[in-house]
Amino acid sequence: MELVMNKLRPLAAATFILGPVIYLAAEAITAAAWKSPTYSYADNWISDLGSATAGVFQGRELNSPLHVVMNTGFIVQGLLFGIATVLLSRTISGRRTFTAVTGIVTMIGYILVGTFHGSLQAQQNGTLPLHFTGATLAILGGNVLALVLGIHWRKTPETRLIGLVSIIVAAFGLVSVTALFLTFDAGLPSGAIERGSVYTIVIWQLAVATALLRSRADSRALHVTATS
């Protein structure tokens, strides 16, 4: 990428990969544990998996016996996202402060989602706004970061591809979250729409990790060629 040789790249790449792997594994394991009712990736929201209490919330019946697994996944993904973006900010030229700050804001969002759950109990005890605040920070933070860095990276030939990928996934994520709010009560598969705004962050993390590893490999090849 638009960088000089930097030993932080493989560490940043590793954290960008590990976060999505843990997050998706937590989601799959927690969803599989639902028996009555079964979990629907199309109709249930991701945060339904983290509900610590059973019952009906926003018209959806929730009963997540492994909610601790999902909430741990949220928090770990957030922490690793924050670490990865801070590391990334040390390896790129331009947008360094924005990258680190937005990454930390996104991290806080994930931690809030994993700490304060979306459930009827949360609505009753007054913590539901903290959950939705966290979801907003995480979704907007991750997608906006990808969009801004994508526009920045598109200006340089070496980073043009990852820039284009970043712009595409971020735009899809922002459109999806907008559609989610506009069609909240329209009877559409809101779980699938929500995932369109969350999985884009996961895809972006993996894409950036790939670009970081590739750039490091290219730098090594150039170094070997020069020294030989």
Side-chain angles (χ1 to χ4, degrees):
M1 301 173 74
E2 49 183 357
L3 337 156
V4 296
M5 181 65 178
N6 195 308
K7 293 182 180 179
L8 290 178
R9 290 184 216 173
L11 184 56
T15 49
F16 268 130
I17 293 171
L18 189 58
V21 169
I22 292 175
Y23 173 79
L24 293 175
E27 186 177 343
I29 292 169
T30 309
W34 283 44
K35 301 302 180 185
S36 181
T38 57
Y39 185 81
S40 170
Y41 274 76
D43 297 320
N44 281 105
W45 290 31
I46 300 173
S47 57
D48 291 349
L49 295 168
S51 175
T53 55
V56 178
F57 175 64
Q58 295 180 333
R60 304 184 303 277
E61 186 178 353
L62 312 184
N63 187 5
S64 186
L66 295 183
H67 56 87
V68 173
V69 174
M70 187 69 253
N71 290 321
T72 301
F74 282 133
I75 294 171
V76 172
Q77 157 75 328
L79 290 171
L80 290 174
F81 190 93
I83 293 170
T85 50
V86 169
L87 291 172
L88 179 65
S89 71
R90 301 288 300 276
T91 67
I92 61 176
S93 59
R95 303 295 187 273
R96 288 186 172 186
T97 301
F98 176 83
T99 299
V101 171
T102 308
I104 291 172
V105 168
T106 304
M107 175 189 74
I108 293 171
Y110 274 111
I111 293 174
L112 285 174
V113 169
T115 305
F116 302 100
H117 316 130
S119 65
L120 181 60
Q121 183 185 43
Q123 190 174 42
Q124 293 171 341
N125 64 24
T127 61
L128 187 60
L130 290 172
H131 174 80
F132 284 127
T133 297
T136 301
L137 291 177
I139 292 174
L140 291 183
N143 284 293
V144 168
L145 177 60
L147 181 62
V148 171
L149 286 182
I151 293 171
H152 176 60
W153 286 335
R154 279 285 292 166
K155 299 174 183 178
T156 305
E158 292 79 8
T159 57
R160 191 156 290 158
L161 178 58
I162 184 59
L164 179 61
V165 171
S166 298
I167 291 170
I168 291 173
V169 297
F172 187 87
L174 292 172
V175 168
S176 295
V177 72
T178 301
L180 179 65
F181 285 112
L182 293 178
T183 63
F184 182 76
D185 293 321
L188 297 177
S190 57
I193 297 172
E194 181 197 29
R195 283 177 165 80
S197 65
V198 174
Y199 287 177
T200 50
I201 300 173
V202 170
I203 293 170
W204 182 73
Q205 289 174 265
L206 297 175
V208 171
T210 301
L212 285 166
L213 294 174
R214 179 179 296 176
S215 69
R216 187 168 189 265
D218 291 343
S219 296
R220 278 184 169 180
L222 289 171
H223 178 71
V224 170
T225 301
T227 54
S228 62

